[in-house]
């Protein structure tokens, strides 16, 4: 039966629909053109840094040197440009939830230095009105896939977004932080789960980090011992 399914519906690249050997993967040309973040990167947000080598503790980008980060470490799987931008927009606005099956291993690979057996993976929450409009939280789908690949615990409703905010595209850094101040709190039903835990927050895109900051502060308020952040894509300067 499985062979028949593969004949009728052969695996396709998640970006261009070219034939691939397995489901939920990239073809060779798309893999080459996808700006994955490998090698030296900022320890605070995952932005790629000039030079060669593996990420090192304490090496920060210009933004993380001047913006207070309430989390301890951050990583991102890709740079938000080109094919990655189209992939993220297809997930968020084109109902391409199948893309999260491909993204799970990419995120788990990027976050490998941050994950331990005790890590609790939590998605950045959406406001209930946003869920009514879109029907799903892309961050929750990404977090669930990452947790499944990494083999660690996942809690989709550990945080609640209590304040509805307008789309933040085009807003300045200060405007974003002001809009999201106090917008995210811990779920009273899940506070015991967060207490004393190492938490990995996941979202689809990180721009200035205002959403991650609000979510990290909510985790610490619930008693989390350590909070790291992980984005599928990182907006970088001159990208």
């Amino acid at each position: 039966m499985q062979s028949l399914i593969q004949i009728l519906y052969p695996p396709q690249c998640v970006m261009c629909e070219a034939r691939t050997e397995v489901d939920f993967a990239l073809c060779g040309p798309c893999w080459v053109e996808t700006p994955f973040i490998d090698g030296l990167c900022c320890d605070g947000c995952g932005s790629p840094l000039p030079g060669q080598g593996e990420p090192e503790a304490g090496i920060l980008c210009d933004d993380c040197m001047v913006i207070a980060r309430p989390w301890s470490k951050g990583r991102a799987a890709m740079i938000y440009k080109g094919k990655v931008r189209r992939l993220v927009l297809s997930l968020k606005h084109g109902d391409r939830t199948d893309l999260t099956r491909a993204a799970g291993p990419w995120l788990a690979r990027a976050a490998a230095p941050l994950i331990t057996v005790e890590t609790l993976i939590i998605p950045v929450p959406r406001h209930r009105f946003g869920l009514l409009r879109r029907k799903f939280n892309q961050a929750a789908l990404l977090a669930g896939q990452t947790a499944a690949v990494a083999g660690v615990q996942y809690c989709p409703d550990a945080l609640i977004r209590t304040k509805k905010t307008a789309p933040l595209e085009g807003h300045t850094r200060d405007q974003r932080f002001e809009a999201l101040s106090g917008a995210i709190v811990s779920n009273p039903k899940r506070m015991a789960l967060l207490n004393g835990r190492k938490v990995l927050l996941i979202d689809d895109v990180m721009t200035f980090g205002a959403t991650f900051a609000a979510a990290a502060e909510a985790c610490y308020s619930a008693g989390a011992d350590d909070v790291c952040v992980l984005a599928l894509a990182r907006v970088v300067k001159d990208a």
Side-chain angles (χ1 to χ4, degrees):
M1 178 63 72
Q2 187 66 32
S3 298
L4 178 60
I5 292 175
Q6 290 182 340
I7 293 173
L8 295 175
Y9 304 100
Q12 294 181 323
C13 173
V14 295
M15 287 194 182
C16 74
E17 298 185 352
R19 293 284 183 91
T20 56
E21 294 185 1
V22 297
D23 288 316
F24 310 110
L26 296 173
C27 65
C30 283
W31 181 272
V32 171
E33 295 176 9
T34 300
F36 286 98
I37 298 176
D38 293 307
L40 192 63
C41 68
C42 173
D43 198 38
C45 70
S47 291
L49 296 175
Q52 298 181 348
E54 296 301 314
E56 297 181 21
I59 295 182
L60 302 177
C61 67
D62 292 343
D63 283 347
C64 287
M65 287 182 179
V66 298
I67 302 174
R69 303 297 196 193
W71 61 84
S72 60
K73 294 180 182 294
R75 292 292 187 273
M78 306 165 164
I79 299 173
Y80 187 69
K81 68 175 183 178
K83 287 182 177 291
V84 173
R85 183 177 183 275
R86 292 197 294 274
L87 182 148
V88 171
L89 293 178
S90 295
L91 169 59
K92 292 175 70 169
H93 305 299
D95 292 335
R96 287 287 310 277
T97 56
D98 60 296
L99 294 172
T100 62
R101 294 281 298 275
W106 304 336
L107 285 160
R109 181 171 69 103
L114 312 181
I115 295 177
T116 72
V117 294
E118 299 176 350
T119 296
L120 173 65
I121 290 183
I122 294 174
V124 168
R126 288 186 58 80
H127 192 270
R128 63 183 183 278
F129 291 156
L131 286 174
L132 286 173
R133 183 178 68 254
R134 192 176 293 166
K135 303 292 191 296
F136 64 89
N137 176 6
Q138 68 276 5
L141 298 180
L142 292 168
Q145 291 292 339
T146 306
V149 173
V152 297
Q153 190 175 4
Y154 162 62
C155 184
D157 61 345
L159 300 178
I160 300 172
R161 195 157 185 158
T162 58
K163 186 167 72 172
K164 185 177 183 297
T165 56
L168 298 175
E169 289 81 359
H171 285 57
T172 66
R173 182 184 70 192
D174 291 343
Q175 288 172 333
R176 287 172 181 251
F177 276 89
E178 182 180 357
L180 286 159
S181 177
I184 297 174
V185 299
S186 61
N187 184 341
K189 298 179 180 179
R190 300 288 183 261
M191 289 185 68
L193 185 62
L194 271 71
N195 188 39
R197 295 294 294 272
K198 296 184 182 300
V199 171
L200 178 63
L201 288 168
I202 293 184
D203 203 0
D204 56 348
V205 179
M206 177 178 175
T207 305
F208 293 112
T211 306
F212 272 132
E217 289 169 353
C219 289
Y220 281 121
S221 295
D225 179 63
D226 181 65
V227 179
C228 295
V229 302
L230 172 66
L232 175 61
R234 177 73 168 100
V235 176
V236 301
K237 298 174 183 177
D238 304 321

